[in-house]
Structures are given as C-alpha cells and as structure tokens.
Amino acid sequence: TIPIIYVVTPTYHRPEMAAELTRLGQTLLLVPRVHWILAEDSKTCSQVLSDFLEKLGLPFTHIASPMPDIYRKLSQAPRGVSNRRAALQWVRDHGADNGVLYFLDDDNAIDIRLFEEMRDTRKVSMWPVGLIGLYSVSSPVLNDDGVVVGFYDAWPAGRKFQVDMAGFAVNVEYLRKQRKASMPYIAGHEEDGFLKSLRITLPDIEVKANRCTEILVWHTRTTKNPLRTLNLTKHKSDNIKE
Ligand code: UDP
Ligand code: MN
C-alpha cells in the first residue's frame, strides 16, 4: 500500500473559515491515502468543525491547542504554532513509519499532483511555493547535479532554510528519530527553526516538482474585510442587549 500523507492544517474561527476549509477539504477528497489533521487554535474542539469533518468523509483527526496568551499579545504573533505542535505530537504517537507529514495552511491553494511528488519522502523533500513575498515565488536553488545549494526568496532574514510552510514534507520515521524536533514560537522563523531541529543538511533535501521548476502550491491569502469583522461584533453585542 502507498504511504499515508498526514496533512496538518492549523485553523481558527473567523468569518472566512468555512469557505477556506470547504475548499481545502474538498481538494483533499481527490487525494488517495490522506489523513487530515485539523488543528484548532482553541482550548477545545468546536462542534461545528467536528460536524464538518464527519460530513466531509476523509479520514481525520480533530485536535485543539490554543496560542499561549504571551504570544497572542505580540504585534507579530507566531500564528498556528501551538496547534501545529499538537499535531506534530499526534503524528509522532500515531503516524505510520512510512507516512509523510505535510503542513498545509487553511488558506493555501494546492495542485493535487503535489501529493504524489511528496509521497515517497525519505527524510525531507522540498519544492517551490508560488505567490509568496516580493519575488512571487520562493524556491530551493539547485546546482547542475540537482543538489540544493541555496534558496531564492525575497526575505532571507538570516534563515538557513528560506522555505514556506507549504514548501516541504517530512518522513514520519525520520521525524520520530529526531526526538527534539519542534517548531519555535518565532514569527517568520517557524519553518527555519523546525527544519534546523530536524538536523538535515542542504544535500539531504529531496527535490521535487521537476527539479523545482514547477509550482504546485500557492501561498494564497484571503483579504479580511475589517468592516465584516466589526459588523459581526456589533451584531453579537446587539443580540446580548435584546
Ligand atoms: N492561524 C491560527 N491562529 C491564528 C492565526 C492563524 O491557527 O491566530 C492559522 C491559519 O488558519 C493558517 C495558519 O495559521 O492556517 C497561518 O495563518 P495565516 O494564513 O493568517 O498566516 P500568513 O499566511 O499570513 O502567514
Ligand atoms: Mn495564510
């Protein structure tokens, strides 16, 4: 049987959530042997998302872990770390050895062919991510032998691995062997910190998507309408008064 891909999606409640998760969930329905780990940034698993997952029909795990208050106060909060960490622990505890871990944010857009690219990951695999940063793409840079020698990314920021969260996958057995591997609570450095903690070198990286020449995932973002959020708050307080 082909390896299971554990897709880890951090999410949180806001007006756009249902639209994002419907689009992503129905994309995942097209992929064989996927296990979706939906990780809520909250103290408990919400009923609305439990119902959504039951109806969707994918194999899933629903977990919840809130961002600690000390980080929530920051102007640049590390988004989705506590919930991704909880999912990491679940994969360590329950994942199949030949399985693959993939972080896929709820607002991204993905071509399902990428799942077949990552499925045979032995340590860590990588590929380009579209619509990210000032260059519109972030990608590993390869030499003529197909070995990663650096990164093309508009925001180097002193990172060793200049990669977006959607730009890599990890083998579950390899993850399990790296006992100290974890994701830091540092905005913008979540990927770099996690990949460093996996103790890989650049030549270890398994390159995918036709030697990193194809874009199969995009860091799309949904605009937030501040008035929409304001209206919701207003209506809620109106209701309380009644
Ligand atoms: N997220 C979260 N809690 C938050 C904000 C975001 O769990 O308070 C999740 C969000 O649903 C997404 C991921 O973390 O899956 C990245 O967040 P976002 O898309 O806002 O970040 P950006 O794309 O701007 O880096
Ligand atoms: Mn996003």
Side-chain angles (χ1 to χ4, degrees), residues 106-124:
D106 59 4
D107 54 343
N108 290 348
I110 189 162
D111 184 320
I112 57 171
R113 286 174 292 184
L114 184 58
F115 292 100
E116 303 325 312
E117 296 282 321
M118 71 176 77
R119 208 181 284 276
D120 66 352
T121 301
R122 283 161 295 135
K123 276 188 182 176
V124 173

Side-chain angles (χ1 to χ4, degrees), residues 10-12 14 41 67 79-80 83-84 105-107 219 221:
T11 195
Y12 69 111
R14 76 282 195 196
D41 181 353
M67 183 189 298
R79 291 186 284 257
N83 32 349
R84 284 196 201 92
D105 288 352
D106 59 4
D107 54 343
H219 184 255
R221 287 167 121 178

